[in-house]
Coordinates of all heavy atoms in Angstrom, one line a residue:
P284 N -20.7 -47.5 -54.2 CA -21.6 -47.8 -53.0 C -22.5 -46.6 -52.5 O -23.7 -46.8 -52.3 CB -20.6 -48.2 -51.9 CG -19.4 -48.8 -52.7 CD -19.3 -48.0 -53.9
V285 N -21.9 -45.4 -52.4 CA -22.8 -44.3 -51.8 C -23.9 -43.9 -52.8 O -24.8 -43.1 -52.4 CB -21.9 -43.1 -51.4 CG1 -21.1 -43.4 -50.2 CG2 -21.1 -42.6 -52.6
F286 N -23.8 -44.3 -54.0 CA -24.9 -43.9 -55.0 C -25.8 -45.1 -55.3 O -26.6 -45.1 -56.2 CB -24.3 -43.4 -56.3 CG -23.6 -42.1 -56.1 CD1 -22.3 -42.0 -55.6 CD2 -24.3 -40.9 -56.4 CE1 -21.7 -40.7 -55.5 CE2 -23.7 -39.7 -56.3 CZ -22.4 -39.6 -55.8
T287 N -25.6 -46.2 -54.5 CA -26.3 -47.5 -54.7 C -27.8 -47.3 -54.2 O -28.0 -46.9 -53.0 CB -25.6 -48.6 -54.0 OG1 -24.3 -48.8 -54.6 CG2 -26.4 -49.9 -54.2
A288 N -28.7 -47.8 -54.9 CA -30.1 -47.8 -54.5 C -30.4 -48.8 -53.4 O -29.7 -49.8 -53.4 CB -31.0 -48.0 -55.7
P289 N -31.4 -48.6 -52.6 CA -31.7 -49.5 -51.5 C -31.9 -51.0 -52.0 O -31.4 -51.9 -51.3 CB -32.9 -49.0 -50.8 CG -32.9 -47.5 -51.1 CD -32.3 -47.4 -52.5
E290 N -32.6 -51.1 -53.1 CA -32.9 -52.4 -53.6 C -31.7 -53.2 -54.1 O -31.7 -54.4 -54.3 CB -34.0 -52.4 -54.7 CG -33.6 -51.6 -55.9 CD -33.9 -50.1 -55.9 OE1 -34.0 -49.6 -54.8 OE2 -33.9 -49.5 -57.0
C291 N -30.6 -52.5 -54.3 CA -29.4 -53.1 -54.8 C -28.5 -53.6 -53.7 O -27.5 -54.3 -53.9 CB -28.6 -52.1 -55.7 SG -29.5 -51.4 -57.1
C292 N -28.8 -53.2 -52.4 CA -27.9 -53.5 -51.3 C -28.0 -54.9 -50.8 O -27.1 -55.4 -50.1 CB -28.2 -52.5 -50.1 SG -27.8 -50.8 -50.5
S293 N -29.1 -55.6 -51.2 CA -29.3 -56.9 -50.7 C -28.6 -58.0 -51.5 O -28.5 -59.1 -51.1 CB -30.8 -57.2 -50.7 OG -31.3 -57.2 -52.0
G294 N -28.1 -57.6 -52.7 CA -27.4 -58.5 -53.5 C -28.3 -59.4 -54.4 O -27.8 -60.3 -55.1
V295 N -29.6 -59.1 -54.4 CA -30.5 -59.8 -55.3 C -30.8 -58.9 -56.6 O -30.2 -57.9 -56.7 CB -31.8 -60.2 -54.6 CG1 -31.6 -61.1 -53.5 CG2 -32.6 -58.9 -54.1
S296 N -31.7 -59.4 -57.4 CA -31.9 -58.7 -58.7 C -32.6 -57.4 -58.4 O -33.3 -57.2 -57.4 CB -32.7 -59.6 -59.6 OG -34.0 -59.8 -59.1
Y297 N -32.5 -56.4 -59.3 CA -33.1 -55.1 -59.2 C -33.4 -54.6 -60.6 O -32.9 -55.1 -61.6 CB -32.2 -54.2 -58.4 CG -30.9 -53.9 -59.1 CD1 -30.7 -52.9 -60.0 CD2 -29.8 -54.8 -58.9 CE1 -29.5 -52.7 -60.6 CE2 -28.6 -54.6 -59.5 CZ -28.4 -53.5 -60.4 OH -27.2 -53.3 -61.0
H298 N -34.2 -53.5 -60.7 CA -34.5 -52.9 -62.0 C -33.5 -51.7 -62.2 O -33.4 -50.8 -61.4 CB -35.9 -52.5 -62.0 CG -36.9 -53.6 -62.1 ND1 -37.2 -54.3 -63.2 CD2 -37.7 -54.2 -61.1 CE1 -38.0 -55.3 -63.0 NE2 -38.4 -55.2 -61.7
G299 N -32.8 -51.8 -63.3 CA -31.8 -50.9 -63.6 C -32.3 -49.4 -63.8 O -31.6 -48.5 -63.3
K300 N -33.4 -49.2 -64.4 CA -33.9 -47.9 -64.6 C -34.1 -47.2 -63.2 O -33.8 -46.0 -63.0 CB -35.2 -47.9 -65.4 CG -35.0 -48.2 -66.9 CD -36.4 -48.1 -67.6 CE -36.2 -48.4 -69.1 NZ -37.5 -48.3 -69.8
A301 N -34.8 -47.9 -62.3 CA -35.1 -47.3 -61.0 C -33.8 -47.0 -60.2 O -33.7 -46.1 -59.5 CB -36.0 -48.2 -60.2
S302 N -32.8 -47.9 -60.4 CA -31.5 -47.7 -59.7 C -30.8 -46.5 -60.2 O -30.1 -45.7 -59.5 CB -30.6 -48.9 -59.7 OG -30.2 -49.2 -61.0
D303 N -30.8 -46.3 -61.6 CA -30.2 -45.1 -62.2 C -30.9 -43.9 -61.7 O -30.3 -42.8 -61.4 CB -30.3 -45.2 -63.7 CG -29.1 -45.8 -64.4 OD1 -28.1 -46.1 -63.7 OD2 -29.1 -45.9 -65.6
T304 N -32.2 -44.0 -61.5 CA -33.0 -42.8 -61.1 C -32.6 -42.4 -59.6 O -32.5 -41.2 -59.3 CB -34.5 -43.1 -61.1 OG1 -34.9 -43.4 -62.5 CG2 -35.4 -41.9 -60.7
W305 N -32.4 -43.4 -58.8 CA -32.0 -43.2 -57.4 C -30.6 -42.4 -57.5 O -30.4 -41.5 -56.7 CB -31.8 -44.5 -56.7 CG -31.1 -44.4 -55.3 CD1 -29.8 -44.3 -55.1 CD2 -31.8 -44.2 -54.0 NE1 -29.5 -44.2 -53.7 CE2 -30.7 -44.1 -53.1 CE3 -33.1 -44.2 -53.6 CZ2 -31.0 -44.0 -51.7 CZ3 -33.4 -44.0 -52.3 CH2 -32.3 -43.9 -51.3
A306 N -29.7 -42.9 -58.3 CA -28.4 -42.3 -58.4 C -28.5 -40.8 -58.9 O -27.7 -39.9 -58.5 CB -27.5 -43.1 -59.4
V307 N -29.5 -40.5 -59.8 CA -29.7 -39.2 -60.2 C -30.2 -38.3 -59.0 O -29.8 -37.2 -58.8 CB -30.8 -39.1 -61.3 CG1 -31.3 -37.6 -61.5 CG2 -30.3 -39.7 -62.6
G308 N -31.0 -38.9 -58.1 CA -31.4 -38.3 -56.9 C -30.3 -38.0 -55.9 O -30.2 -36.9 -55.4
V309 N -29.4 -38.9 -55.7 CA -28.2 -38.7 -54.9 C -27.3 -37.6 -55.5 O -26.8 -36.8 -54.8 CB -27.4 -40.0 -54.7 CG1 -26.2 -39.8 -53.9 CG2 -28.3 -41.1 -54.1
T310 N -27.2 -37.6 -56.8 CA -26.4 -36.6 -57.5 C -27.0 -35.2 -57.2 O -26.3 -34.2 -57.0 CB -26.3 -36.9 -59.0 OG1 -25.6 -38.1 -59.2 CG2 -25.6 -35.8 -59.7
L311 N -28.3 -35.1 -57.4 CA -29.0 -33.8 -57.1 C -28.8 -33.4 -55.7 O -28.5 -32.2 -55.4 CB -30.5 -33.9 -57.5 CG -31.3 -32.6 -57.2 CD1 -30.8 -31.4 -58.0 CD2 -32.8 -32.9 -57.5
Y312 N -28.9 -34.3 -54.8 CA -28.7 -34.0 -53.3 C -27.3 -33.5 -53.1 O -27.1 -32.5 -52.4 CB -28.9 -35.3 -52.5 CG -28.9 -35.1 -51.0 CD1 -30.1 -35.0 -50.3 CD2 -27.7 -35.0 -50.3 CE1 -30.2 -34.9 -48.9 CE2 -27.8 -34.9 -48.9 CZ -29.0 -34.8 -48.2 OH -29.0 -34.7 -46.9
C313 N -26.3 -34.1 -53.7 CA -24.9 -33.7 -53.6 C -24.7 -32.3 -54.2 O -24.0 -31.4 -53.6 CB -24.0 -34.7 -54.3 SG -23.8 -36.3 -53.5
M314 N -25.3 -32.0 -55.3 CA -25.2 -30.7 -56.0 C -25.8 -29.6 -55.1 O -25.2 -28.5 -55.1 CB -25.8 -30.8 -57.4 CG -25.1 -31.6 -58.4 SD -25.6 -31.2 -60.1 CE -27.3 -31.8 -60.1
I315 N -26.9 -29.9 -54.5 CA -27.6 -28.9 -53.7 C -27.0 -28.7 -52.4 O -26.8 -27.5 -51.9 CB -29.1 -29.2 -53.6 CG1 -29.8 -29.1 -55.0 CG2 -29.8 -28.3 -52.6 CD1 -29.9 -27.7 -55.5
L316 N -26.7 -29.8 -51.7 CA -26.3 -29.7 -50.3 C -24.8 -29.9 -50.1 O -24.2 -29.7 -49.0 CB -27.0 -30.7 -49.4 CG -28.6 -30.5 -49.4 CD1 -29.3 -31.6 -48.7 CD2 -28.9 -29.1 -48.7
G317 N -24.0 -30.3 -51.1 CA -22.6 -30.5 -50.9 C -22.2 -31.7 -50.0 O -21.1 -31.7 -49.5
R318 N -23.1 -32.6 -49.9 CA -22.7 -33.8 -49.1 C -23.6 -35.0 -49.5 O -24.5 -34.8 -50.3 CB -23.0 -33.6 -47.6 CG -24.4 -33.3 -47.2 CD -24.6 -33.2 -45.7 NE -26.0 -33.0 -45.3 CZ -26.7 -31.9 -45.2 NH1 -26.0 -30.7 -45.3 NH2 -27.9 -31.8 -44.8
Y319 N -23.2 -36.2 -49.1 CA -23.9 -37.4 -49.4 C -25.1 -37.6 -48.5 O -25.0 -37.3 -47.3 CB -23.0 -38.6 -49.4 CG -21.8 -38.5 -50.2 CD1 -20.5 -38.3 -49.6 CD2 -21.8 -38.6 -51.6 CE1 -19.4 -38.1 -50.4 CE2 -20.7 -38.5 -52.4 CZ -19.5 -38.3 -51.7 OH -18.3 -38.1 -52.5
P320 N -26.2 -38.1 -49.0 CA -27.4 -38.3 -48.1 C -27.2 -39.5 -47.2 O -27.7 -39.5 -46.1 CB -28.5 -38.6 -49.1 CG -27.9 -39.1 -50.4 CD -26.6 -38.4 -50.4
F321 N -26.4 -40.5 -47.6 CA -26.2 -41.7 -46.8 C -24.7 -42.1 -47.0 O -24.3 -42.6 -48.0 CB -27.1 -42.9 -47.2 CG -28.6 -42.5 -47.3 CD1 -29.2 -42.3 -48.5 CD2 -29.3 -42.3 -46.1 CE1 -30.5 -41.9 -48.6 CE2 -30.7 -42.0 -46.2 CZ -31.3 -41.7 -47.4
L322 N -24.0 -42.0 -45.9 CA -22.6 -42.4 -45.9 C -22.1 -42.9 -44.5 O -22.2 -42.1 -43.5 CB -21.7 -41.3 -46.4 CG -20.2 -41.6 -46.3 CD1 -19.8 -42.7 -47.2 CD2 -19.4 -40.3 -46.7
G323 N -21.7 -44.1 -44.4 CA -21.2 -44.7 -43.2 C -19.7 -44.9 -43.2 O -19.1 -44.5 -44.2
E324 N -19.1 -45.4 -42.2 CA -17.7 -45.6 -42.1 C -17.3 -46.9 -42.7 O -16.1 -47.2 -43.0 CB -17.2 -45.5 -40.7 CG -17.4 -44.2 -40.0 CD -16.7 -44.0 -38.7 OE1 -16.1 -45.0 -38.2 OE2 -16.8 -43.0 -38.1
T325 N -18.2 -47.8 -43.0 CA -17.9 -49.1 -43.6 C -19.0 -49.3 -44.7 O -20.0 -48.6 -44.8 CB -18.0 -50.3 -42.6 OG1 -19.3 -50.4 -42.1 CG2 -17.0 -50.0 -41.5
L326 N -18.7 -50.3 -45.5 CA -19.7 -50.7 -46.6 C -21.0 -51.1 -46.0 O -22.1 -50.6 -46.4 CB -19.2 -51.8 -47.5 CG -20.1 -52.3 -48.6 CD1 -20.4 -51.1 -49.6 CD2 -19.5 -53.5 -49.3
Q327 N -21.0 -51.9 -45.0 CA -22.2 -52.4 -44.3 C -23.0 -51.3 -43.7 O -24.2 -51.2 -43.8 CB -21.9 -53.5 -43.3 CG -23.1 -54.1 -42.7 CD -24.0 -54.8 -43.7 OE1 -23.6 -55.5 -44.6 NE2 -25.3 -54.4 -43.7
D328 N -22.2 -50.4 -43.0 CA -22.9 -49.2 -42.4 C -23.5 -48.3 -43.4 O -24.6 -47.8 -43.2 CB -21.8 -48.4 -41.6 CG -22.4 -47.3 -40.8 OD1 -23.6 -47.4 -40.4 OD2 -21.7 -46.3 -40.5
T329 N -22.8 -48.1 -44.5 CA -23.4 -47.3 -45.6 C -24.6 -47.9 -46.2 O -25.7 -47.2 -46.3 CB -22.3 -47.1 -46.7 OG1 -21.2 -46.4 -46.2 CG2 -22.9 -46.3 -47.9
Y330 N -24.6 -49.2 -46.5 CA -25.8 -49.9 -47.0 C -26.9 -49.8 -46.0 O -28.1 -49.7 -46.3 CB -25.5 -51.3 -47.3 CG -24.8 -51.5 -48.7 CD1 -24.3 -52.7 -49.1 CD2 -24.5 -50.4 -49.5 CE1 -23.7 -52.9 -50.3 CE2 -23.9 -50.5 -50.7 CZ -23.5 -51.8 -51.1 OH -22.9 -51.9 -52.4
D331 N -26.6 -50.0 -44.7 CA -27.7 -49.9 -43.7 C -28.3 -48.6 -43.6 O -29.6 -48.5 -43.5 CB -27.0 -50.2 -42.3 CG -28.1 -50.2 -41.2 OD1 -28.9 -51.1 -41.2 OD2 -28.1 -49.3 -40.4
K332 N -27.6 -47.5 -43.8 CA -28.1 -46.2 -43.8 C -29.0 -46.0 -45.1 O -30.1 -45.4 -45.0 CB -27.0 -45.1 -43.8 CG -26.3 -45.0 -42.5 CD -25.1 -44.0 -42.6 CE -24.3 -44.0 -41.3 NZ -25.1 -43.5 -40.1
I333 N -28.5 -46.5 -46.2 CA -29.2 -46.3 -47.5 C -30.6 -47.0 -47.4 O -31.6 -46.5 -47.8 CB -28.4 -46.9 -48.6 CG1 -27.2 -46.1 -49.0 CG2 -29.3 -47.1 -49.9 CD1 -26.3 -46.7 -50.0

Side-chain angles (χ1 to χ4, degrees):
V285 292
F286 291 83
T287 298
E290 64 271 20
C291 304
C292 296
S293 62
V295 297
S296 64
Y297 62 93
H298 289 281
K300 289 184 179 181
S302 66
D303 267 357
T304 300
W305 172 276
V307 170
V309 177
T310 297
L311 177 60
Y312 188 99
C313 290
M314 288 195 296
I315 292 292
L316 297 174
R318 63 175 185 267
Y319 304 105
F321 307 105
L322 175 61
E324 295 189 1
T325 65
L326 179 63
Q327 186 58 48
D328 186 28
T329 296
Y330 280 177
D331 181 71
K332 291 177 184 297
I333 291 172

